[in-house]
Amino acid sequence: MTTHPTASSVRTTPEGLLWEPSERWVRGRKGDVTVVDSRHPVLVWEPHLPVPQYAFPREDVRTDLLRPAAHPPTGAHTGSQVFYDLHAGGEPVANAAWTFPSKDLAGHIAFEWFRRWDSGLDHWYEEEEEIFVHPRDPHKRVDALPSSRHVQVGVGGTLVADTRRPVLLFETSLPTRYYIPRDDVRLDLFEPTDHRTACPYKGRARYWTWHGAGKVPRNILWSYPDPLPAVAAVEGLFAFYNEAVDLTVDGERLERPVTPFTASLTP
């Protein structure tokens, strides 16, 4: 029987992992099969990943659906682990689950989630809300605040947005994003694309790309048509990558920040 820690404080393992008990009820499904159902999950931060992952007490996992991995990866996670293939109907999912080597996390099983949107389990839930991409970090805030700042956006020398009624989205470790009403954006200068992303804090976004002159990265404009309740204020508004446009706020030209998104923003 796994002992469930109750103190809400981050601990460190000799392997360099950070971990913290969570009080959220977390479930994971593959098709119609519930593979994980836990009221005692643990959040784990690996040194090379920017977001947390969940590990679950073994008794909260359908271990009868796991088999030792036929082709376990090397170097995928911190330390040496045991990997499992998932057999839950249909084709087996290779290396869908694994264990951490730390004594602190003995008796726990983790599941691939971050950066594996098309593999692993199909759906994850915290309480009754579906969560995408990765677990939410309890030490991270996302606030969407209506503002009267004067925001102007330039692309390739053209003014494409001008508003005094933006919503500013403040997200820990990322630059402020300026969400702009549709009427204040030159949407005629952009065309919709098939690109889509999902965020555990904001929901699912759709994208537009610049069709004017100049070398401009694709998909620099996005919107959340149906955002999660916590950021409902950005619904239907439009935001640009600060990393790729000329952004002026209250007359001050902002520098283009370097973020984890910069490398992907290529013309």
Side-chain angles (χ1 to χ4, degrees), residues 57-199:
R58 183 174 289 269
E59 61 264 29
D60 294 343
V61 176
R62 285 283 305 276
T63 54
D64 59 304
L65 303 176
L66 301 180
R67 307 285 188 276
H71 303 284
T74 57
H77 295 284
T78 302
S80 58
Q81 310 84 21
V82 176
F83 284 85
Y84 299 94
D85 296 340
L86 175 66
H87 296 255
E91 292 293 323
V93 181
N95 302 307
W98 42 279
T99 61
F100 285 107
S102 172
K103 288 177 57 179
D104 292 352
L105 299 171
H108 288 72
I109 297 176
F111 282 79
E112 289 288 5
W113 192 349
F114 181 53
R115 292 178 179 154
R116 288 193 61 174
W117 302 293
D118 298 322
S119 58
L121 302 191
D122 297 329
H123 301 280
W124 287 99
Y125 300 88
E126 291 177 346
E127 301 298 332
E128 298 301 327
E129 186 170 299
E130 186 168 8
I131 306 300
F132 310 97
V133 186
H134 61 80
R136 292 169 176 168
D137 190 328
H139 305 285
K140 183 173 184 176
R141 285 188 63 94
V142 179
D143 297 300
L145 304 180
S147 177
S148 59
R149 290 177 183 254
H150 185 197
V151 177
Q152 296 172 298
V153 181
V155 175
T158 299
L159 182 67
V160 299
D162 191 335
T163 189
R164 295 181 182 273
R165 47 182 186 149
V167 171
L168 275 56
L169 191 135
F170 300 93
E171 186 169 354
T172 305
S173 302
L174 288 175
T176 303
R177 302 300 190 189
Y178 298 86
Y179 283 77
I180 300 171
R182 175 184 287 269
D183 291 344
D184 296 340
V185 178
R186 287 286 309 276
L187 207 57
D188 59 303
L189 300 176
F190 298 84
E191 56 188 20
T193 72
D194 294 332
H195 186 58
R196 299 289 187 271
T197 60
C199 170

Side-chain angles (χ1 to χ4, degrees), residues 24-43:
R24 301 187 183 198
W25 176 24
V26 179
R27 286 157 293 155
R29 293 198 342 240
K30 181 66 176 177
D32 295 329
V33 178
T34 297
V35 179
V36 177
D37 188 336
S38 180
R39 289 171 170 79
H40 301 284
V42 173
L43 285 164

Side-chain angles (χ1 to χ4, degrees), residues 201-264:
Y201 305 101
K202 299 184 288 290
R204 297 183 182 274
R206 57 177 303 196
Y207 286 76
W208 286 256
T209 200
W210 169 252
H211 64 64
K215 293 184 177 180
V216 177
R218 289 184 56 77
N219 301 309
I220 61 170
L221 175 64
W222 73 86
S223 180
Y224 287 93
D226 187 23
L228 295 176
V231 294
V234 306
E235 180 178 354
L237 305 187
F238 291 82
F240 295 83
Y241 277 110
N242 310 34
E243 299 89 333
V245 300
D246 299 322
L247 189 60
T248 302
V249 179
D250 291 337
E252 178 183 354
R253 176 74 170 271
L254 304 186
E255 293 185 6
R256 294 187 181 184
V258 176
T259 74
F261 299 102
T262 300
S264 63

